[in-house]
Amino acid sequence: MQARLVCPAVSLALALVAGCGPEAPDRPAAAEKPATEDTSVTAARIKEADASPGEWLTHGRDWGEQRFSPLDRVNASNVAKLGLAWYVDLDYDRGVEATPLVASGVMYTTGSWSVVYAIDAVSGELLWKYDPEVPREKLQHLCCDAVNRGVALWGDKVYVGTLDGYLVALDRATGDVAWRVSTIDPGTTYAITGAPRVAKGKVLIGNSGSEFGVRGYVTAYDADTGRQAWRFYTVPGNPAEPFESPAMEMAAATWKGGKWWEVGGGGTVWDSMAYDPDLDLVYIGVGNGAPWSRRARSTEGGDNLFLSSIVALRPDSGEYVWHYQTSPGDAWDFTATQHMILADIEINGVLRQVLMQAPKNGFFYLLDRATGELISAENFVPINWAEGIDMETGRPIMAADPFYEEGPRLTIPGPAGAHNWQPMSFSPVTGLVYIPAQQLPHVYGDDPEYEFTPGFWNTGLEWALSAAPEDPDELRESGSMVNGKLIAWNPVTQSADWTVERPLPWGGGLLSTAGNLVFQGMPTGEFLAYRADTGEQLWSFDAQTGVVAAPISYEINGDQYVAISVGWGSIIALIGGEAIASMNMRNRSRMLVFKLGGTAELPPAVNPPEPVPDLPEMDLRPELVARGKLVYYDRCNMCHGDGAISGRLQPDLRRSSRAVHDRWDAIVLDGERKAAGMPGFAAAITPEDSRAIHAYVISRARVLQARLGAADAPEEPGR
């Protein structure tokens, strides 16, 4: 661990880190703060966020998580003049997903590996940095990269959840550790990627890791001391033991057969939360079941509460108040951890207090946030797992065999969801919710050889069923089913006012503003501004790297700024495959900040050529390669990419050096590179499996080699 206060003139090296080397333009003066100003972040300041529109004090700007800025100095008529004001290079080349916060002239944000940065919000000067020094072997227990979605502010502290399960409170002025508590039991496979939230002086944090055999929960800690205040479990434990609460006793009746408590059950609260101070309710979004196949965890079916549910709790005690389950008996990774927005909306002439969510399953839900009553629900993208929602019961009207009990089934959407973690935005000016939507189908089918393996990826599915076709024509045909969208959704009419079609999925999070603007980044590297009322594109910026985080806007000394965290990574870079590789996207982890008339420039993007395959001779009998493909998709696909084609976040195994091939079993089975994040798989696969995977990888490398035309013909470098 380290926290350090940085002097602005320490060295030229620091200037380069902050993107202000000798070639860069002069920095603007730092924000001036009166010596007597009280900079404490309080409940009153967050509740009255519109009274200080120049700040961004909590994850969604306000407790309702609307992600709408009342600022309008940057607007549809002048956004074309938006230019880069400053940038800061972050430390590690992994995915960047954080929403930055701005309070009293200072920006607080995170990069990958849970590193926290405090930056002067006007000049871009790095004030301090805290690195929790997460062990790199923690990558073994991360489904979706070493990401972090940001910090929370309260009083004079900054709070961050770390990948290895700690909640840390830092002094806002110095970055020194005020307290640090473990939120998980020693030796367990939980991780934390989400941003904490604070309600009534309690810091709330969930966790992730469903697929690695864990039981979900959310915990509240005293913001001043770090003492645990309460914990709410989201799935029941062993029914032979006392239940932790009446809610768990109620939930246990919906789990039928099997020993789910031995395989975890899932239900992690890995992202979205919201708070209504008037109703005194905290809302949490609960994740998927684990293993994904319901027959692998709850053999006789059942709804499996509180999987894929929105749950309302009392912030003082964690007491259960109500729930709404979006995907009963979840067997598809249809989490309800997606962004929840609280708003007051007139419906049929009545002003309703609503909660809105567009989770992975493809339906847009409008709930009464006081009671959990379903007001309306319609699908915002094409789906085929359900035919609609029964308004009498609130349950989905299931299509034929949605649980793939009769065999493999092509399902839309797939586990990436119709909308994933990237935040939506609600504009009270237009009355629209802006959704980063997508279409990514998936073939679900049970793995006939599945056995639960502690500490490793467990879904109960045969992943090779979802492999991209190797035939180019079939690949093009399947690719036509994949796309992305920016949808301006009217929650009252439950229909789209306008849609921007994108050829690729995984569009970034959204910001809407009173300037009639919507901002969004793209994995292809563009940062874009649209008219909020029509969807017309008005401005773009080449970020030189993938953008998936959500922007914010703040104002200091009369200047309105727009800020966005960028950095290629996240699950799309891990999934890889031909479509992702064709983007030729590289990681450049940065914070980018814009203002009208900004003149800063990014350095040129220089990319070295990719290494070409250097292949040993090996037995590539078809049956060995076929076996290797099955095991690869079961154990390697989620990190090294579809078809062994990397998205350039993890090593592309097709391009492995001869040294890797020579040490294959030492790396794959024995964990020789554990410290770099590559664990040993001896507990999960056999030596024969390792040899089969090696054969499959070499077969894929030979395809690449043939396409290149010669072993010494490097591919042309891209952006």
Side-chain angles (χ1 to χ4, degrees):
M1 282 176 258
Q2 67 176 22
R4 55 189 178 87
L5 188 65
V6 180
C7 174
V10 168
S11 66
L12 176 61
L14 173 59
L16 291 172
V17 166
C20 56
E23 302 296 328
D26 292 338
R27 291 267 174 179
E32 294 186 5
K33 294 176 279 295
T36 59
E37 180 185 358
D38 181 4
T39 63
S40 296
V41 175
T42 63
R45 287 182 69 188
I46 296 175
K47 185 175 181 180
E48 303 299 327
D50 286 351
S52 54
E55 298 191 294
W56 195 285
L57 299 179
T58 190
H59 195 60
R61 197 185 75 86
D62 55 13
W63 267 321
E65 301 272 327
Q66 293 187 2
R67 291 182 176 267
F68 170 81
S69 171
L71 301 176
D72 61 3
R73 290 179 186 271
V74 178
N75 54 58
S77 66
N78 63 17
V79 69
K81 299 177 182 178
L82 202 63
L84 187 66
W86 55 263
Y87 69 92
V88 170
D89 284 328
L90 307 179
D91 292 81
Y92 300 107
D93 290 339
R94 309 288 308 194
V96 181
E97 298 183 354
T99 295
L101 306 185
V102 175
S104 302
V106 178
M107 176 184 290
Y108 304 91
T109 191
T110 58
S112 52
W113 294 110
S114 317
V115 178
V116 183
Y117 304 85
I119 305 166
D120 187 286
V122 171
S123 69
E125 173 193 330
L126 180 64
L127 303 177
W128 55 256
K129 181 180 75 172
Y130 167 75
D131 187 344
E133 298 180 357
V134 175
R136 296 311 187 249
E137 55 262 35
K138 189 61 185 174
L139 275 177
Q140 178 180 348
H141 302 141
L142 306 177
C143 85
C144 311
D145 198 8
V147 297
N148 185 278
R149 297 188 188 92
V151 300
L153 302 178
W154 189 260
D156 60 356
K157 294 183 178 65
V158 183
Y159 303 90
V160 64
T162 68
L163 282 169
D164 52 351
Y166 288 91
L167 180 64
V168 185
L170 306 171
D171 183 283
R172 277 178 57 196
T174 66
D176 292 337
V177 176
W179 52 258
R180 175 177 179 265
V181 297
S182 178
T183 70
I184 64 176
D185 291 332
T188 54
T189 55
Y190 293 94
I192 297 176
T193 57
R197 308 295 202 280
V198 183
K200 300 185 79 171
K202 295 177 178 62
V203 187
L204 278 64
I205 193 70
N207 44 54
S208 59
S210 284
E211 290 75 22
F212 299 92
V214 304
R215 177 192 183 196
Y217 56 80
V218 61
T219 314
Y221 296 88
D222 183 275
D224 292 327
T225 66
R227 180 181 61 84
Q228 181 175 318
W230 52 261
R231 174 168 289 174
F232 179 83
Y233 286 96
T234 56
V235 301
N238 188 341
E241 299 175 359
F243 294 110
E244 292 87 356
S245 68
M248 285 300 93
E249 185 173 6
M250 175 181 69
T254 69
W255 292 70
K256 309 287 187 180
K259 294 185 177 181
W260 68 85
W261 59 93
E262 293 184 356
V263 297
T268 50
V269 183
W270 54 263
D271 197 21
S272 184
M273 301 181 204
Y275 174 53
D276 186 326
D278 296 323
L279 294 174
D280 196 33
L281 290 176
V282 165
Y283 307 93
I284 62 171
V286 183
N288 57 284
W292 292 4
S293 170
R294 186 169 59 170
R295 286 175 299 287
R297 65 172 191 269
S298 183
T299 55
E300 298 173 23
D303 285 353
N304 292 185
L305 290 177
F306 291 99
L307 300 180
S308 303
S309 297
I310 298 165
V311 183
L313 307 173
R314 293 293 179 199
D316 287 318
S317 62
E319 175 190 359
Y320 163 87
V321 178
W322 61 256
H323 78 275
Y324 179 83
Q325 190 171 36
T326 59
S327 302
D330 172 59
W332 315 274
D333 189 26
F334 282 172
T335 62
T337 52
Q338 281 58 53
H339 184 196
M340 295 178 288
I341 295 175
L342 312 184
D344 296 341
I345 296 177
E346 186 176 309
I347 302 172
N348 297 325
V350 178
L351 191 65
R352 300 290 300 266
Q353 297 173 302
V354 304
L355 181 152
M356 299 179 282
Q357 190 188 51
K360 279 188 181 182
N361 71 15
F363 285 99
F364 186 96
Y365 294 92
L366 202 66
L367 306 179
D368 184 299
R369 68 176 184 267
T371 65
E373 171 199 356
L374 176 64
I375 298 172
S376 63
E378 293 290 344
N379 56 296
F380 57 95
V381 293
I383 65 170
N384 72 355
W385 70 279
E387 298 174 357
I389 301 295
D390 185 327
M391 292 304 298
E392 293 287 327
T393 65
R395 299 175 65 88
I397 303 167
M398 294 293 192
D401 191 31
F403 291 94
Y404 44 92
E405 293 175 340
E406 298 174 9
R409 187 183 192 280
L410 176 68
T411 301
I412 303 172
H419 168 223
N420 208 285
W421 64 266
Q422 294 93 324
M424 309 184 298
S425 174
F426 170 69
S427 168
V429 175
T430 64
L432 301 175
V433 177
Y434 303 95
I435 310 171
Q438 59 192 11
Q439 179 170 297
L440 276 163
H442 186 84
V443 179
Y444 293 88
D446 286 317
D447 180 357
E449 299 181 13
Y450 173 72
E451 292 183 7
F452 179 73
T453 309
F456 291 87
W457 183 257
N458 289 276
T459 62
L461 303 187
E462 185 174 329
W463 278 85
L465 293 170
S466 63
E470 296 180 11
D471 178 85
D473 293 333
E474 292 181 13
L475 181 63
R476 279 190 293 272
E477 182 179 349
S478 66
S480 67
M481 301 176 67
V482 177
N483 59 60
K485 307 173 189 289
L486 168 56
I487 302 176
W489 190 260
N490 187 320
V492 178
T493 64
Q494 286 281 14
S495 61
D497 267 28
W498 54 259
T499 300
V500 175
E501 301 284 348
R502 306 287 299 189
L504 287 173
W506 216 249
L510 291 158
L511 164 72
S512 59
T513 78
N516 195 27
L517 294 172
V518 173
F519 290 91
Q520 183 183 31
M522 300 304 298
T524 46
E526 304 103 327
F527 184 37
L528 304 165
Y530 302 90
R531 282 185 65 100
D533 55 353
T534 66
E536 176 190 358
Q537 183 178 316
L538 301 175
W539 173 84
S540 68
F541 179 84
D542 181 6
Q544 300 181 345
T545 190
V547 188
V548 291
I552 69 163
S553 190
Y554 62 94
E555 188 174 65
I556 299 175
N557 300 333
D559 285 323
Q560 181 182 349
Y561 297 86
V562 177
I564 182 76
S565 303
V566 305
W568 178 239
S570 189
I571 186 62
I572 192 170
L574 290 169
I575 289 174
E578 289 284 4
I580 303 305
S582 68
M583 294 164 57
N584 214 5
M585 186 57 63
R586 310 299 176 96
N587 180 284
R588 293 175 176 87
S589 296
R590 289 179 174 133
M591 173 60 65
L592 305 180
V593 178
F594 302 84
K595 70 174 184 177
L596 295 175
T599 58
E601 295 182 358
L602 296 177
V606 179
N607 301 307
E610 292 285 338
V612 298
D614 181 14
L615 305 177
E617 292 297 322
M618 187 174 179
D619 174 13
L620 296 183
R621 286 171 293 130
E623 60 271 22
L624 184 65
V625 172
R627 174 62 186 170
K629 179 177 180 178
L630 284 174
V631 183
Y632 175 90
Y633 273 91
D634 187 39
R635 295 298 179 192
C636 316
N637 168 59
M638 287 302 295
C639 285
H640 290 285
D642 186 48
I645 303 173
S646 166
R648 291 201 170 90
L649 188 63
Q650 298 282 63
D652 189 316
L653 298 182
R654 302 171 305 160
R655 300 177 183 271
S656 297
S657 68
R658 184 60 68 90
V660 168
H661 290 297
D662 291 345
R663 302 288 298 168
W664 184 268
D665 279 352
I667 296 168
V668 173
L669 295 175
D670 302 335
E672 186 174 82
R673 298 191 178 182
K674 178 180 179 180
M678 172 62 194
F681 278 76
I685 64 174
T686 66
E688 290 75 18
D689 288 336
S690 176
R691 185 162 61 92
I693 295 170
H694 199 182
Y696 172 68
V697 167
I698 288 179
S699 74
R700 298 295 296 148
R702 287 189 177 177
V703 172
L704 173 63
Q705 194 176 62
R707 192 171 74 213
L708 293 177
D712 58 352
E715 289 183 305
E716 186 175 340
R719 66 184 303 152

